[in-house]
Amino acid sequence: MKKTNKICGVIAAILITTTLWAAETAASAFKKAQNYQAQENWYKAIEMYQQAVKKNKSYGEAYFGMAQCSYALEQYNLVLTYLESAGKYLKNRTDLLNLRGFALIGLGETEQAKTVFETVLASFPNDIDARFGLAELEILEGRISGAEEQYGEALQRQNQNKKALLSLALVSQQLGKPEAAREYISQALKYYSASPEVYYYAACIAVDDDDLQTAEEYIRVAIQLNPSYKEAYQLLTNVLYRLERYEEVIEICTYRTSVDRKDSVAWYVKGMVHVALGDSSEAISAFSSGLVQDPNDEVMRTALEMVILDTTDIEDNLRKNWAKYHQTKAAEYIKKFYSVQAEYEYQRSLRLNPQATDARLAYAELLLADGYAETYLQQLKFVQSLGSISVKTKDTIEAYNSLLYNTLPIKWNVDPFYLDKTRFSIGVYFQKEHTGALHPGSAGVTARLFADLFSVSSKAEVAAGENAVESFTEAYELAREAEQDYFCILTFDENDRELTVSVDMFNGRTGNQVQSWNVYRTGNDRYSGALRKLKENLLASLPYYAKIIERTGTDILVDAGRIDGVSAGTVWAVVKAGSIRTADDVLEITYSPDSVLGTLTLTDAGEEISEGTLSVLGFYDRVNTDDLIVPLKLEEDSETESPAPAEEPAQTAPENILLTLIRSIK
């Protein structure tokens, strides 16, 4: 009996020891996970939390820790999964509910998130995090004043709460209340004088006030308190770039890339500094290094291509090498049947290297697939003019020469390639982006690319201003001096995930605003996608007219075709040359009824030119070449139609940037 009791005692001791060992191991793993989480090493933290739950399946705090790390990694579905496991062991915890609400915001389930936060506040009205959640929802809906109210409620309950103070400072600044913003920052600095984060946000406010000297002082204090504060180094770089202290910028960028070679933005800024200093080779070197680290940085790639276009000859190997990127990307889009994107990429490739025969032939195939056989043949002939061509291409040229023997260019002996079909001149101007921009100088890069996209369109000649304008007045003066029909002021805002490009368009003669567009994009290729959309919007909104280029009796040839949206059967007013002008305050053209000479009914619409039958107005025939034709629909609807509404983004960039800043507050 004693022996049996002894054996049982040993077994019990072993079980207790094993249980204690397992518990200690789980606790040890949990502690390590917390340390990694504090260091923002999210993946390692999740690994150690997983070790903890392997040892203790009911370790609710470990599940909650994994949910927090997954939220930091924006894996919102995973957050909900871990929270469900944590909720089995952690009861009546508002922090679990609040994190669930924030994850739902991340998933776009805003109504569910609102219900979660309101449920928490119904039982716990003093819960600060639930009010922070409601504030984020207000920002997402564009109700910044509503967010201000929620943060104010939180501050009333905890008058020294750091996140409430900093959030109120940022929100007040957004609402145009700089005095209130500075007061909240002052309180935060008073309570948290050792916090590098507070000094960083104080610098953000100073930057927004354009007080760059004060901003620099705050940033340097933040870096002294936290020498590895990456965001502070980036903001300091931007401030010094804005102050044109270029040597210091290069020094800091060199330090940033020595610490983290993958810091592509540092490479970008370094490149932009060398552009400003006129050192194109160093600029290309810096941009190239940055694109090795982040090939998808479209702003940096655009800046690099602009330098190459400005400083190299057509035959330069740099052009050939960098053009291949777009050609490869176009081929990938072709495989996915994304013809619009492929067309853009081929155009960018040929912009860099016009003599790339393989890219041009591939681009020509796209044009043929869209039904433009004449333009396809033009591209093939251009390839032929560059030198030797394959037998297949030569045979194709001969075949299409025969196939297109009865087209309008042959009938009228007109080569559309040499026609000047430009209808309007448009200037694109930009103001300096805010100093906290992800890519300093990106507004100028974007304005130039936007203007460059119109090089393949004959409808408008678009030119970008070389330098940032200080105001609308300066842009208007420049447009008047250049005799531009219209001018645009472009605004570019972005964070690391989203961007918004806005264009306000004005009449160059009167200065009146005639249209505006606002395009929001996220995801891959968002930069080029947004600019392509803006280009489409602008071209679709421009009024249209064409010019008579040949006449035989009542048969009239005009310089407009299917590629311009013209179709057979439409009726146009024939207007005396020089009588058309832009409308004062809408995006339309006007002319005096006395200038109408007759009507033209189009009978055959070619690709670039069209043919029609003339009907003169009155007894005398006064219609000549160079007279203009205007769609009669435009004349009939001009009094009732207003410009197309601007495209509204799902969420505007200032709100995105504000929310990104607030979410980063710890």
Side-chain angles (χ1 to χ4, degrees):
M1 186 69 178
K2 289 182 178 180
K3 186 175 181 179
T4 303
N5 289 339
K6 186 177 181 180
I7 292 172
C8 290
V10 171
I11 293 172
I14 292 171
L15 289 172
I16 292 170
T17 302
T18 303
T19 303
L20 288 173
W21 175 82
E24 288 173 359
T25 303
S28 175
F30 180 80
K31 186 174 182 180
K32 289 179 181 178
Q34 285 189 309
N35 290 334
Y36 283 125
Q37 186 175 347
Q39 298 166 16
E40 298 186 0
N41 190 340
W42 312 116
Y43 296 106
K44 196 66 179 177
I46 289 174
E47 180 186 350
M48 296 312 300
Y49 281 131
Q50 288 173 339
Q51 291 293 328
V53 298
K54 281 181 182 178
K55 298 297 182 181
N56 182 357
K57 300 293 185 183
S58 59
Y59 209 150
E61 291 290 357
Y63 285 114
F64 183 45
M66 284 192 283
Q68 291 174 312
C69 293
S70 297
Y71 180 79
L73 293 170
E74 300 182 11
Q75 297 173 328
Y76 302 121
N77 281 314
L78 204 54
V79 174
L80 299 180
T81 300
Y82 288 137
L83 286 176
E84 185 177 351
S85 298
K88 296 176 182 177
Y89 311 107
L90 305 176
K91 304 297 182 182
N92 301 319
R93 289 274 295 269
T94 59
D95 51 356
L96 269 70
L97 288 172
N98 285 327
L99 184 56
R100 174 179 172 78
F102 285 112
L104 288 169
I105 291 177
L107 291 170
E109 303 290 346
T110 54
E111 289 302 319
Q112 290 186 44
K114 184 177 181 181
T115 300
V116 170
F117 294 130
E118 288 178 343
T119 300
V120 172
L121 289 173
S123 301
F124 304 94
N126 293 325
D127 189 287
I128 302 300
D129 288 334
R131 294 198 177 276
F132 289 159
L134 290 176
E136 285 199 13
L137 289 170
E138 294 284 2
I139 294 173
L140 281 168
E141 294 296 326
R143 296 189 292 267
I144 310 300
S145 57
E148 180 186 34
E149 182 180 346
Q150 291 294 342
Y151 288 126
E153 291 284 344
L155 192 63
Q156 285 182 11
R157 288 160 174 78
Q158 291 184 12
N159 62 4
Q160 295 184 20
N161 185 282
K162 182 171 71 172
K163 180 161 185 172
L165 285 167
L166 294 178
S167 299
L168 274 168
L170 294 170
V171 165
S172 297
Q173 190 74 7
Q174 184 73 33
L175 290 171
K177 302 177 180 179
E179 297 82 4
R182 287 192 287 270
E183 177 58 31
Y184 289 124
I185 282 293
S186 178
Q187 291 180 47
L189 288 169
K190 175 182 176 182
Y191 297 134
Y192 303 96
S193 58
S195 170
E197 185 180 38
V198 171
Y199 283 96
Y200 172 78
Y201 285 100
C204 290
I205 297 296
V207 160
D208 205 54
D209 287 336
D210 210 27
D211 186 356
L212 302 184
Q213 299 293 344
T214 300
E216 181 185 356
E217 293 172 9
Y218 282 138
I219 302 167
R220 292 194 182 278
V221 173
I223 291 173
Q224 286 177 356
L225 293 169
N226 180 6
S228 60
Y229 201 157
K230 182 177 178 180
E231 292 80 6
Y233 277 110
Q234 181 170 323
L235 186 58
L236 178 59
T237 303
N238 292 8
V239 167
L240 296 176
Y241 178 85
R242 180 79 172 269
L243 291 169
E244 299 184 3
R245 287 156 58 181
Y246 294 138
E247 295 302 326
E248 293 176 67
V249 175
I250 292 174
E251 183 179 343
I252 294 174
C253 287
T254 301
Y255 168 75
R256 287 171 59 184
T257 54
S258 68
V259 173
D260 179 9
R261 190 163 182 81
K262 293 184 178 181
D263 188 347
S264 61
V265 174
W267 288 111
Y268 165 82
V269 178
K270 193 173 184 179
M272 291 298 288
V273 167
H274 285 300
V275 170
L277 294 173
D279 192 341
S280 60
S281 61
E282 287 296 325
I284 291 171
S285 176
F287 289 141
S288 301
S289 296
L291 287 169
V292 168
Q293 307 306 324
D294 186 3
N296 297 317
D297 190 327
E298 294 184 277
V299 177
M300 180 154 47
R301 186 174 296 278
T302 301
L304 168 65
E305 291 173 359
M306 296 304 176
V307 175
I308 291 173
L309 286 170
D310 289 341
T311 61
T312 63
D313 296 328
I314 289 179
E315 296 82 6
D316 197 296
N317 284 330
L318 274 174
R319 287 180 174 242
K320 297 175 183 177
N321 293 337
W322 288 103
K324 287 178 182 176
Y325 170 85
H326 292 290
Q327 187 176 344
T328 301
K329 201 163 185 179
E332 292 171 356
Y333 280 131
I334 290 293
K335 291 178 182 178
K336 299 176 182 177
F337 303 102
Y338 294 165
S339 60
V340 174
Q341 293 91 328
E343 184 176 336
Y344 166 81
E345 295 296 343
Y346 279 129
Q347 288 169 355
R348 297 311 300 163
S349 178
L350 292 169
R351 180 75 173 89
L352 284 166
N353 184 17
Q355 298 180 344
T357 56
D358 49 349
R360 190 167 293 279
L361 289 171
Y363 177 54
E365 291 293 336
L366 273 180
L367 295 171
L368 181 62
D370 287 339
Y372 298 120
E374 295 174 31
T375 312
Y376 169 70
L377 179 59
Q378 269 186 355
Q379 294 291 327
L380 296 187
K381 288 182 176 180
F382 181 82
V383 171
Q384 187 178 38
S385 71
L386 295 176
S388 60
I389 58 172
S390 67
V391 174
K392 179 182 177 181
T393 303
K394 186 177 180 180
D395 290 344
T396 303
I397 291 174
E398 292 179 2
Y400 273 89
N401 274 328
S402 300
L403 185 66
L404 301 174
Y405 75 95
N406 62 346
T407 56
L408 291 178
I410 301 298
K411 177 181 177 181
W412 287 84
N413 193 27
V414 171
D415 189 344
F417 183 77
Y418 295 102
L419 294 176
D420 180 8
K421 300 172 65 175
T422 304
R423 302 297 178 244
F424 302 100
S425 61
I426 302 173
V428 179
Y429 301 94
F430 61 96
Q431 294 177 301
K432 289 180 180 178
E433 65 282 310
H434 60 86
T435 307
L438 184 62
H439 291 87
S442 55
V445 173
T446 303
R448 183 167 174 189
L449 177 58
F450 180 59
D452 207 46
L453 294 184
F454 290 87
S455 62
V456 296
S457 172
S458 60
K459 196 171 183 180
E461 180 182 358
V462 184
E466 294 184 4
N467 302 304
V469 296
E470 294 296 328
S471 62
F472 160 82
T473 301
E474 183 180 352
Y476 183 25
E477 289 177 355
L478 290 171
R480 289 274 295 189
E481 289 173 6
E483 298 183 349
Q484 291 167 339
D485 298 304
Y486 299 102
F487 68 97
C488 302
I489 297 179
L490 181 145
T491 305
F492 177 65
D493 285 298
E494 63 170 338
N495 57 35
D496 59 349
R497 294 294 182 89
E498 302 146 315
L499 60 82
T500 296
V501 190
S502 303
V503 170
D504 294 323
M505 190 171 184
F506 305 86
N507 184 297
R509 178 171 46 80
T510 65
N512 293 328
Q513 184 167 347
V514 294
Q515 184 60 287
S516 64
W517 299 275
N518 200 4
V519 177
Y520 165 82
R521 285 290 184 274
T522 187
N524 297 329
D525 302 325
R526 54 187 174 274
Y527 184 68
S528 55
L531 291 177
R532 285 201 310 271
K533 181 62 176 176
L534 277 174
K535 174 194 168 185
E536 292 170 9
N537 287 346
L538 193 153
L539 287 176
S541 299
L542 276 178
Y544 191 72
Y545 65 92
K547 184 168 64 175
I548 296 175
I549 53 176
E550 293 286 350
R551 177 180 178 182
T552 302
T554 58
D555 292 334
I556 301 289
L557 186 70
V558 296
D559 64 347
R562 296 197 311 275
I563 206 165
D564 305 299
V566 169
S567 59
T570 53
V571 181
W572 300 59
V574 179
V575 180
K576 185 178 179 181
S579 60
I580 286 178
R581 72 168 193 167
T582 57
D584 292 347
D585 53 7
V586 292
L587 194 51
E588 296 176 0
I589 53 176
T590 63
Y591 51 88
S592 168
D594 295 338
S595 64
V596 178
L597 306 175
T599 59
L600 180 70
T601 302
L602 294 185
T603 55
D604 187 1
E607 287 184 26
E608 294 278 2
I609 55 179
S610 297
E611 184 181 62
T613 302
L614 174 67
S615 176
V616 298
L617 183 66
F619 182 76
Y620 296 103
D621 183 349
R622 297 176 293 156
V623 176
N624 297 304
T625 56
D626 291 334
D627 284 335
L628 308 175
I629 64 167
V630 181
L632 278 177
K633 183 178 184 302
L634 178 70
E635 183 181 39
E636 294 164 0
D637 296 350
S638 60
E639 296 182 0
T640 58
E641 285 192 358
S642 58
E647 178 178 337
E648 293 295 334
Q651 180 183 340
T652 60
E655 290 159 5
N656 284 346
I657 293 168
L658 174 63
L659 199 53
T660 300
L661 283 171
I662 287 174
R663 284 176 173 171
S664 65
I665 299 171
K666 300 179 181 61

